């Protein structure tokens, strides 16, 4: 993670003046079964998109609040980096998308992986529609899929 002084001036000014929202902690939820038996899905904010899907729209004011479904069978090397943020070095993710969407590692470490996962665009400065539309839709799909736990990968 970059320190503030390593970022371009525009990013530093943005970070210092952005009206950050305060979110109260969400109560911890106990896992309903042992982790070894739990079905797990990935939710990432890396803006990675399967090659057959439309990229995230970097021109949406406040950030593209949509999401992409990513099949468990995806070849992680085929995922396309459409993350608009220039606040971090993308070269690591482009070299190995498992850094931001660790599907290969999850398959290696855990046998019960969901058939689909989700990718969001990070750097959403106007998260209203994300919080009221996209996130609840994805939560519903995760419940439909019988997912017990989600590996959140914030970028």
């Amino acid at each position: 993670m970059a320190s503030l002084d390593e970022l371009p001036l525009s990013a530093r000014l943005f970070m210092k003046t952005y009206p950050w929202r305060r979110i109260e902690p969400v109560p911890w939820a106990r896992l309903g079964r042992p982790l070894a038996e739990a079905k797990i899905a990935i939710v990432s904010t890396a803006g990675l998109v399967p090659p057959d899907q439309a990229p995230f729209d970097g021109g949406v004011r406040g950030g593209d609040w949509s999401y992409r479904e990513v099949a468990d069978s995806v070849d992680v090397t085929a995922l396309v980096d459409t993350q608009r943020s220039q606040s971090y070095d993308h070269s690591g993710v482009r070299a190995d998308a498992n850094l931001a969407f660790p599907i290969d590692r999850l398959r290696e470490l855990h046998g019960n992986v969901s058939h689909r996962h989700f990718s969001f665009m990070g750097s959403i400065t106007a998260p209203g529609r994300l919080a009221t539309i996209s996130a609840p839709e994805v939560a519903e799909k995760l419940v439909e899929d019988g997912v017990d736990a989600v590996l959140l990968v914030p970028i």
Side-chain angles (χ1 to χ4, degrees), residues 86-154:
Q86 296 306 311
S87 297
Y88 73 96
D89 181 356
H90 291 239
S91 62
V93 172
R94 289 183 180 139
D96 183 2
N98 276 291
L99 294 171
F101 201 91
I103 188 68
D104 290 341
R105 303 298 77 84
L106 185 59
R107 287 184 199 125
E108 291 168 3
L109 295 170
H110 195 74
N112 194 4
V113 178
S114 182
H115 72 280
R116 65 178 165 180
H117 308 274
F118 298 90
S119 180
F120 286 90
M121 171 66 72
S123 298
I124 297 176
T125 57
R129 292 175 291 187
L130 171 73
T132 60
I133 299 171
S134 303
E137 283 179 14
V138 167
E140 255 182 57
K141 291 178 180 197
L142 291 165
V143 169
E144 286 172 13
D145 294 347
V147 170
D148 299 298
V150 173
L151 176 58
L152 295 173
V153 188

Side-chain angles (χ1 to χ4, degrees), residues 14-28:
F14 173 79
M15 296 286 202
K16 287 184 178 183
T17 60
Y18 182 75
W20 299 98
R21 293 173 190 228
R22 191 174 251 323
I23 299 173
E24 294 303 317
V26 175
W28 187 260

